[in-house]
Amino acid sequence: MTNSDSISVPERKRGSGVKVVYDLLRDEILDLKLAPGSLIDEVQLAERFKMSRTPIREALVRLASEGLIETLPNRSTMVSNIDFLNLNTFFDALVLMYRATTRLAAQHHRPEDLAIIRGFHEDYAEAVKARDTLAMIATNAAFHAAIAEAGRNPYFTSLFRRLLDEGRRILSLYYKSYEDQFPQRFVDEHAEIIAAIEARDIEAADRLSKAHAELIVSQVLKLFSRKDQFDIAL
Amino acid sequence: MTNSDSISVPERKRGSGVKVVYDLLRDEILDLKLAPGSLIDEVQLAERFKMSRTPIREALVRLASEGLIETLPNRSTMVSNIDFLNLNTFFDALVLMYRATTRLAAQHHRPEDLAIIRGFHEDYAEAVKARDTLAMIATNAAFHAAIAEAGRNPYFTSLFRRLLDEGRRILSLYYKSYEDQFPQRFVDEHAEIIAAIEARDIEAADRLSKAHAELIVSQVLKLFSRKDQFDIAL
DNA sequence: TGCATTTTTCTTGTCGACATATAAAATACA
DNA sequence: TGTATTTTATATGTCGACAAGAAAAATGCA
């Protein structure tokens, strides 16, 4: 008897339901597999994940509290739109968190943190070499998140993670349109940042991370100002 | 027939359940009516709020994603402990957010924002005059949250709100023990901050908010270093 | 035809019940 | 008596079903 013959096999550990749904939906939203503004149906998800609506709803509540989806009372819930009109608030926060987390990493990192950071650094370099844009975006976010972890301030880390997540959505649009030489420059700058952290040079970490962040911001802004407004509005 | 005669009166609007539970539990946690570390029972809450466990659970999921409660798998959920060992990370984030939000308020505030801010300023002054510590804590948080709103950066605002919330719990302990003259000084400093914002003097707003935040931090640290360690551990 | 009103449909919000995992209690055994 | 094992108790995780709103469709009327 093959596995597909038996119908009533739960095959899922108790308590894992919410996490599975949350993780997968989150990834799909951040990779734009679920388009901003698209509607989410609980029953549909329940069928897809083969579970009841209760754990689905709890995953949605969590996504909503993180701003990834919006729920209209008594009416459907939808993937949050990217607010292009207020990108400046996003960039302001992003630059400040780049600086704050990198500074703290220079202060508080431990030897084992550097190994982790270097790991993601190499992953990113390989993604650049392979011209794999989705991997570039994901490993870049992981690299900076690892630096934030080494800074050991959970308040900064959680905001920064949220910003990096939102950045994944924005950068997905960016790299969908343009392939250019900047990723290689980012690799070099990452190496400089690592060196500053390792040397515990707080001011250098601050200066380099600030320049790095502002380069990204200026590139994305240049792109968006060049593109036709109607082209990017969802 | 009086209202109490009919047993099966829902008397609650559909969709309001989660919000009611969330708001009340949040307040009780922040005012220390629910002690850090105390256990939360879903069935008990369901009976208390006269609703089923489903909306209760969704409110708990939301509180958990904001870090106010922690949920042990398959076992009970509890009110998050205050991490006295890592207060420095809290203060680092708090000072930076005081500065960032006040700077942005000086840049982006609109006339109507100032009216709101002044309203909370007066509420706080009255609470100080009345020596109502719980009101002081709440209106102080509201005052600074209003400044953050005027800065119009939702990323900063949401982190700052979370920090102010956590601050409510810490300050509750502070004021439980000591009554002193600092609240009046805070009133004066608030007035100076408002003036800087109104004058759109970004550097002054930065300087004043930094000094204000650091005064609070140093006061709380002084208190905690004076107190017996075992006295405050939970 | 055009608009207001009623009906239908469809999705969400809530409920009560069952299943299961963990901790505590009880038992067995050396 | 002390430890290991089994049993029980209890709170959580999940389920299927019903009810209530809101939008869409259908109907009525001028």
Side-chain angles (χ1 to χ4, degrees):
Chain A
M1 171 164 121
T2 67
N3 200 1
S4 56
D5 284 333
S6 58
I7 304 174
S8 61
V9 181
E11 294 291 11
R12 212 182 73 247
K13 273 159 206 156
R14 172 189 172 89
S16 67
V18 176
K19 185 173 163 42
V20 168
V21 176
Y22 169 83
D23 285 342
L24 197 66
L25 283 184
R26 183 172 169 281
D27 272 339
E28 293 190 348
I29 291 171
L30 296 182
D31 288 340
L32 295 184
K33 285 172 195 160
L34 284 174
S38 59
L39 267 49
I40 293 176
D41 178 23
E42 294 175 4
V43 177
Q44 208 171 304
L45 287 177
E47 287 169 4
R48 177 177 166 200
F49 288 100
K50 294 195 172 59
M51 58 181 81
S52 85
R53 280 174 50 225
T54 308
I56 303 281
R57 280 177 65 86
E58 293 187 5
L60 292 181
V61 168
R62 219 176 128 191
L63 289 167
S65 86
E66 291 168 18
L68 292 177
I69 64 176
E70 284 167 37
T71 147
L72 290 310
N74 277 315
R75 218 58 207 150
S76 72
T77 106
M78 70 170 198
V79 179
S80 294
N81 281 301
I82 300 175
D83 187 0
F84 290 103
L85 293 178
N86 291 311
L87 272 187
N88 59 316
T89 70
F90 169 75
F91 289 135
D92 281 354
L94 189 70
V95 172
L96 189 62
M97 285 303 106
Y98 261 87
R99 294 178 60 189
T101 55
T102 311
R103 282 186 74 109
L104 287 178
Q107 283 184 66
H108 298 129
H109 78 85
R110 300 171 197 166
E112 62 265 33
D113 297 326
L114 283 176
I116 298 171
I117 293 170
R118 286 211 171 86
F120 287 119
H121 175 53
E122 285 159 19
D123 292 347
Y124 177 70
E126 278 185 35
V128 168
K129 198 176 287 180
R131 295 184 160 270
D132 181 344
T133 51
L134 267 187
M136 276 168 49
I137 293 170
T139 54
N140 177 64
F143 171 76
H144 287 288
I147 290 176
E149 288 293 343
R152 296 203 159 58
N153 186 314
Y155 299 102
F156 290 151
T157 307
S158 73
L159 173 56
F160 194 37
R161 281 209 131 90
R162 188 176 155 192
L163 292 166
L164 289 172
D165 283 350
E166 189 66 12
R168 272 173 71 179
R169 299 213 298 170
I170 295 171
L171 285 179
S172 291
L173 291 173
Y174 177 69
Y175 284 116
K176 258 181 193 165
S177 334
Y178 292 136
E179 283 266 355
D180 54 33
Q181 73 283 20
F182 274 93
Q184 181 53 46
R185 176 160 172 192
F186 289 163
V187 174
D188 301 336
E189 293 195 355
H190 284 180
E192 291 184 274
I193 289 173
I194 292 176
I197 291 172
E198 185 166 28
R200 299 201 180 277
D201 185 338
I202 298 172
E203 291 313 313
D206 190 359
R207 178 169 33 82
L208 290 169
S209 60
K210 181 167 185 278
H212 186 61
E214 286 173 348
L215 175 64
I216 295 177
V217 169
S218 72
Q219 282 304 307
V220 177
L221 279 180
K222 197 186 292 178
L223 164 72
F224 282 157
S225 65
R226 220 185 293 159
K227 282 199 80 174
D228 186 353
Q229 181 84 355
F230 298 101
D231 212 16
I232 60 169
L234 191 143
Chain B
M1 172 167 118
T2 68
N3 200 0
S4 56
D5 283 333
S6 57
I7 303 173
S8 61
V9 181
E11 294 291 10
R12 211 183 74 244
K13 273 159 207 158
R14 173 191 173 88
S16 67
V18 176
K19 184 173 163 41
V20 168
V21 177
Y22 170 83
D23 284 342
L24 197 67
L25 283 184
R26 183 171 170 282
D27 271 341
E28 292 190 348
I29 292 171
L30 296 182
D31 289 341
L32 294 184
K33 286 172 195 161
L34 284 174
S38 60
L39 266 48
I40 293 177
D41 178 25
E42 294 175 5
V43 177
Q44 207 170 304
L45 287 177
E47 287 169 4
R48 177 176 165 201
F49 288 101
K50 294 191 172 62
M51 58 181 80
S52 85
R53 280 173 50 224
T54 309
I56 304 280
R57 279 177 65 86
E58 293 187 5
L60 292 181
V61 168
R62 223 178 124 189
L63 289 168
S65 86
E66 291 167 17
L68 291 176
I69 65 175
E70 284 166 38
T71 148
L72 292 308
N74 279 314
R75 218 61 205 149
S76 73
T77 108
M78 73 170 196
V79 179
S80 293
N81 281 302
I82 300 175
D83 187 359
F84 290 103
L85 293 179
N86 291 311
L87 273 187
N88 59 318
T89 69
F90 170 75
F91 289 136
D92 282 352
L94 188 70
V95 172
L96 189 62
M97 285 301 107
Y98 261 87
R99 294 177 61 189
T101 55
T102 311
R103 283 185 74 108
L104 286 178
Q107 283 184 65
H108 298 129
H109 77 85
R110 299 173 197 166
E112 62 265 32
D113 296 326
L114 284 175
I116 298 172
I117 293 170
R118 287 210 171 88
F120 287 118
H121 175 54
E122 287 160 18
D123 291 347
Y124 177 70
E126 278 185 34
V128 169
K129 198 175 287 179
R131 294 182 161 271
D132 181 345
T133 52
L134 266 187
M136 276 168 47
I137 292 169
T139 54
N140 178 64
F143 170 76
H144 288 289
I147 289 177
E149 288 293 343
R152 295 202 159 59
N153 186 314
Y155 300 103
F156 289 152
T157 307
S158 71
L159 173 56
F160 194 37
R161 281 210 130 92
R162 188 176 155 192
L163 292 166
L164 289 172
D165 283 350
E166 189 66 11
R168 273 174 70 179
R169 299 211 299 171
I170 296 171
L171 285 178
S172 291
L173 291 173
Y174 177 69
Y175 284 117
K176 258 180 192 166
S177 334
Y178 292 137
E179 283 265 356
D180 56 33
Q181 72 283 20
F182 273 95
Q184 180 54 46
R185 175 159 174 193
F186 290 164
V187 175
D188 301 335
E189 292 194 355
H190 283 180
E192 291 184 274
I193 289 173
I194 293 176
I197 291 172
E198 185 166 29
R200 298 200 180 279
D201 186 338
I202 298 172
E203 290 313 314
D206 190 359
R207 179 168 32 82
L208 290 169
S209 60
K210 180 166 185 279
H212 185 62
E214 286 173 347
L215 176 63
I216 295 176
V217 169
S218 72
Q219 282 303 307
V220 177
L221 280 180
K222 197 185 294 178
L223 164 71
F224 282 157
S225 64
R226 221 184 293 160
K227 283 199 79 174
D228 186 352
Q229 180 86 356
F230 298 100
D231 212 16
I232 59 168
L234 190 146

